[in-house]
Amino acid sequence: RCIGTSSRRQYFAVNLENAIRALGKFSRHKPRVIFKRPPHYPIQRPRLSVRDWLAWNSDDDQFREGVTQSIKSLLESNRKTMRAICTFMPGLTAEGKGRENSIKALRFVLNLARDLNATCELSHIDTVVVVGGSILKSILVYGRELIGSPEKYPSELVSIAWRLTKEESQRRMIESLTEVVRGFNDGPRIAIELEPGILSSVGSLDDMRQLAIQIDRRPDLNTRVGFNCDVAHWTIAGIQ
């Protein structure tokens, strides 16, 4: 969304232009960029993700009440039933602030689901879906398309990634989930979703089996955490 101050809109434009150029590398039809980055605008600028936004407001009961009332009004005006909340927080396998904010944001979502179930007759949320996390520890991307400096960088896109082992990423996932469910003895359960691909902590049936064994051994998790068997993702992963 393009909202906020003019500088925020400019920043949105920079990211959109970079995204269009990057996606063009994988498309038969090259996209046409219809705007240019202002020459005075910096390449790097801090961003506020939805995850961080929720994490920063995780202890604000008034904020959560406002979000709850907004969703409740939306459900009632459209007469729609809500049965699950899907999230995308691969930072559960990260370290430092990324992991901390992912845990706080997911706890916010669990509290939000519990509040909605208690106050809205159309809310029957019994599941909060999370992705299995990423094995990427950090990544550097070089290239004219993403950095915007053809004089300094080559036209080819070069990525350098530091990867975790599957064992380490799943160990971090277990630790994060333990923090997330602490104090939640009832209410919606967590469903981990398989994300196909070599960079996913849970990207195959074997990954899911290994994580299930670890969850089953944890009494604080085995009644609160399960799996979301997404048919499309299972098909992409080659699971019959």
Side-chain angles (χ1 to χ4, degrees):
R1 291 180 177 87
C2 185
I3 58 175
T5 64
S6 58
S7 61
R8 181 68 178 176
R9 287 194 292 272
Q10 289 175 352
Y11 179 68
F12 172 86
V14 171
N15 280 294
L16 184 59
E17 177 178 356
N18 291 339
I20 291 174
R21 291 190 185 281
L23 289 173
K25 297 175 70 67
F26 306 98
S27 173
R28 290 181 302 170
H29 307 286
K30 296 299 181 183
R32 175 171 170 261
V33 179
I34 58 175
F35 51 81
K36 296 295 182 182
R37 175 177 59 87
H40 64 278
Y41 197 76
I43 296 295
Q44 301 293 337
R45 187 176 179 86
R47 287 185 291 178
L48 179 64
S49 67
V50 174
R51 178 200 67 186
D52 294 340
W53 178 62
L54 294 179
W56 289 350
N57 291 282
S58 59
D59 297 325
D60 189 337
D61 294 337
Q62 186 176 0
F63 170 78
R64 193 173 73 241
E65 182 181 353
V67 175
T68 301
Q69 291 302 318
S70 296
I71 298 176
K72 178 182 176 182
S73 299
L74 186 64
L75 293 176
E76 291 176 345
S77 62
N78 291 278
R79 301 305 300 172
K80 298 293 185 182
T81 301
M82 192 172 186
R83 299 192 178 276
I85 297 178
C86 295
T87 69
F88 185 80
M89 297 181 194
L92 288 173
T93 56
E95 54 190 10
K97 201 66 176 177
R99 175 179 176 270
E100 179 185 341
N101 283 353
S102 295
I103 292 171
K104 286 183 177 180
L106 191 51
R107 286 182 61 86
F108 176 92
V109 173
L110 287 173
N111 276 313
L112 175 65
R114 195 154 59 177
D115 291 350
L116 281 167
N117 288 344
T119 60
C120 180
E121 63 178 10
L122 293 171
S123 178
H124 306 284
I125 303 169
D126 57 11
T127 304
V128 172
V129 179
V130 302
V131 293
S134 172
I135 65 171
L136 282 181
K137 183 177 182 181
S138 58
I139 184 168
L140 295 175
V141 181
Y142 300 95
R144 179 170 63 185
E145 288 80 359
L146 293 184
I147 296 181
S149 179
E151 298 82 12
K152 189 175 180 180
Y153 297 97
S155 59
E156 294 80 10
L157 186 65
V158 180
S159 300
I160 303 175
W162 285 262
R163 299 192 302 176
L164 300 168
T165 63
K166 286 293 181 79
E167 293 77 12
E168 173 63 16
S169 64
Q170 291 195 5
R171 183 192 66 80
R172 293 184 179 190
M173 186 74 177
I174 292 293
E175 290 183 353
S176 296
L177 289 173
T178 302
E179 292 292 324
V180 169
V181 302
R182 181 170 288 125
F184 286 95
N185 299 319
D186 57 5
R189 292 175 170 83
I190 293 175
I192 302 171
E193 183 172 359
L194 180 148
E195 288 281 322
I198 60 173
L199 299 181
S200 175
S201 178
V202 186
S204 68
L205 188 58
D206 286 340
D207 293 341
M208 183 176 285
R209 285 173 175 155
Q210 290 300 317
L211 189 59
I213 291 171
Q214 297 182 60
I215 292 173
D216 195 48
R217 292 171 177 168
R218 300 288 297 265
D220 52 345
L221 294 179
N222 57 24
T223 61
R224 305 299 309 159
V225 179
F227 290 92
N228 172 33
C229 303
D230 186 298
V231 175
H233 283 173
W234 280 43
T235 302
I236 295 172
I239 301 172
Q240 299 297 322

